[in-house]
């Protein structure tokens, strides 16, 4: 079985990959700075200060549990594919990436496209793996 390594960790990173990685960090930082400088934090902090902690903890527990179950379902679907093995942690990361893109992109399919892109990259059976997302 072939182990699929996380796309963010690579052996023998080249200078191009390192520059690309730090370039992405800089661009992300600039966009975050542009957005955060327009936010008035006083109402946000007062809302957080008045919020009750137990419901927030319960909500986050439910959210993490649901993402875990979504990734587990995907893991079981891919487990039938005997040529490529994906660790559960990678699939959970891709589930979180997909949910992130579904929230911030204007279409509902953006997260699925991102998951398919990262899943099939460098694989032979792209159609079989990509269809597991759908």
């Amino acid at each position: 079985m072939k182990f699929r390594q996380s796309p963010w960790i690579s052996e023998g990173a080249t200078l191009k990959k390192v520059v690309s990685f730090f370039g992405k960090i800089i661009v992300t930082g600039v966009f975050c700075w542009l957005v955060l400088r327009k936010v008035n934090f006083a109402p946000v902090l007062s809302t957080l200060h008045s919020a009750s902690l137990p419901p927030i903890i319960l909500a986050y527990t439910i959210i993490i549990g649901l993402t875990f179950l979504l990734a587990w379902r995907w893991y079981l679907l891919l487990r039938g594919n005997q040529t490529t093995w994906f660790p559960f942690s990678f699939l959970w990361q891709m589930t979180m990436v997909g949910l992130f893109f579904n929230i911030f992109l204007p279409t509902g399919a953006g997260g699925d496209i991102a998951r398919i892109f990262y899943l099939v990259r460098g694989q032979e059976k792209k159609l079989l793996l990509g269809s597991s997302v759908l």
Side-chain angles (χ1 to χ4, degrees):
M1 288 188 182
K2 188 172 145 186
F3 176 75
R4 169 79 165 129
Q5 194 173 13
S6 175
W8 296 282
I9 302 171
S10 63
E11 295 178 10
T14 63
L15 180 62
K16 181 180 176 183
K17 288 182 181 179
V18 172
V19 170
S20 173
F21 175 74
F22 284 112
K24 290 175 186 177
I25 289 176
I26 291 170
V27 169
T28 302
V30 168
F31 281 124
C32 287
W33 176 75
L34 289 172
V35 170
L36 291 177
R37 72 184 186 137
K38 297 289 184 182
V39 174
N40 183 5
F41 283 102
V44 174
L45 292 176
S46 69
T47 302
L48 288 176
H49 183 65
S50 65
S52 178
L53 194 58
I56 293 173
I57 292 172
L58 178 64
Y60 275 105
T61 304
I62 291 171
I63 289 169
I64 298 298
L66 287 175
T67 60
F68 181 84
L69 292 174
L70 287 170
W72 184 254
R73 179 182 64 180
W74 194 20
Y75 178 77
L76 292 177
L77 282 171
L78 287 174
R79 195 170 67 172
N81 178 9
Q82 298 297 322
T83 59
T84 307
W85 180 77
F86 295 94
F88 179 76
S89 62
F90 173 75
L91 295 177
W92 195 26
Q93 287 174 2
M94 291 303 100
T95 301
M96 298 297 264
V97 166
L99 291 172
F100 173 81
F101 279 108
N102 279 341
I103 291 170
F104 290 106
L105 288 180
T107 66
D112 293 336
I113 293 169
R115 286 171 51 190
I116 290 171
F117 173 77
Y118 285 117
L119 185 68
V120 303
R121 191 168 56 174
Q123 300 296 319
E124 293 177 9
K125 297 184 176 184
K126 293 182 185 339
L127 182 62
L128 177 67
L129 294 173
S131 65
S132 71
V133 174
L134 302 175

